[in-house]
Amino acid sequence: MEFIVSYDIKIFNTLDELSEQFSQLLKNKINAEDKKFNLVLSGGSTPRNLFKYLSVNNKDQINWSKINFFWGDERCVPPDDDQSNFKMANESLLSNINAIEENIFRIKGEDGPVKEAIRYSEIIRKTVPLKNNKPIFDLIMLGLGEDGHTASIFPNQPDLIDDDKICSVAINPTSQQKRITLTGKIINNARNIVFIVTGKKKSQVVADILENKITVKKYPANYIRPVNGNLFWFLDNEAASLLTENN
Ligand code: 6PG
């Protein structure tokens, strides 16, 4: 069933401007309710500088102790591996703010993928409120690959979009690296989804998706359509450079 998704596209001149606006969005959403805030961090390289910005500029402006930290995906590597999304987030954000240790829910990339996907799914089910019998995260950060993948839902594994599991095992088709990823249904159940995409390399895939080009059907990110939530695209000028004026 196709349905129209409304989304909010924000284009920034600099990463600092993008990061500041993201921090404002996060702060407003956290402060809007007196409850734990279930936040999903994205991986890859894009978030690193945003996390560093938050560490320096929002250390005291955001009530980090209200946040439960989860990951949208993780590479099946140990937490001290340079490819680990946890390592990147811990070095650039978590170790620099007063995050509460027991509120950091790391995907154990060092463990067997199938077993860890089950364990992490159970952790989420027990920790995050349910809606439509699925966990409803307050905000999910997502990156975007040049091939249109998001989290670790790659074009050659479209089943992960509608998979009924909370987390599943994925394989990066280029590196054959195993991953643990949230499935598309869980992502789409979130209250807020924020794509954070920067750089010229992403400009074509961004334009394809946001302008619904013919190629878009093969991109998993094209199927990220919140059932009831808000969808934001935070772009820098380079990533937005192929968008036509009417966007
Ligand atoms: C990962 C991410 C992945 C990432 C995109 C963009 O674990 O790699 O979750 O979805 O967000 O591949 O990666 P870059 O930010 O490095 O371009």
Side-chain angles (χ1 to χ4, degrees), residues 43-47 73 75 85 143-145 149-151 179 202:
S45 57
T46 301
D73 69 326
R75 291 85 180 274
N85 287 333
L144 178 66
H149 82 261
T150 192
R179 308 270 188 99
K202 307 291 177 72

Side-chain angles (χ1 to χ4, degrees), residues 128-184:
V128 179
L130 302 178
K131 183 173 181 182
N132 317 320
N133 194 34
K134 289 191 285 292
I136 179 166
F137 285 103
D138 292 295
L139 193 150
I140 297 183
M141 299 172 69
L142 291 175
L144 178 66
E146 290 176 67
D147 61 355
H149 82 261
T150 192
S152 281
I153 305 174
F154 292 94
N156 66 332
Q157 287 184 284
D159 296 351
L160 291 177
I161 289 288
D162 292 323
D163 191 320
D164 283 328
K165 294 191 283 298
I166 294 174
C167 298
S168 197
V169 178
I171 297 179
N172 180 324
T174 309
S175 64
Q176 298 304 306
Q177 182 185 59
K178 287 193 175 171
R179 308 270 188 99
I180 308 281
T181 187
L182 287 183
T183 58

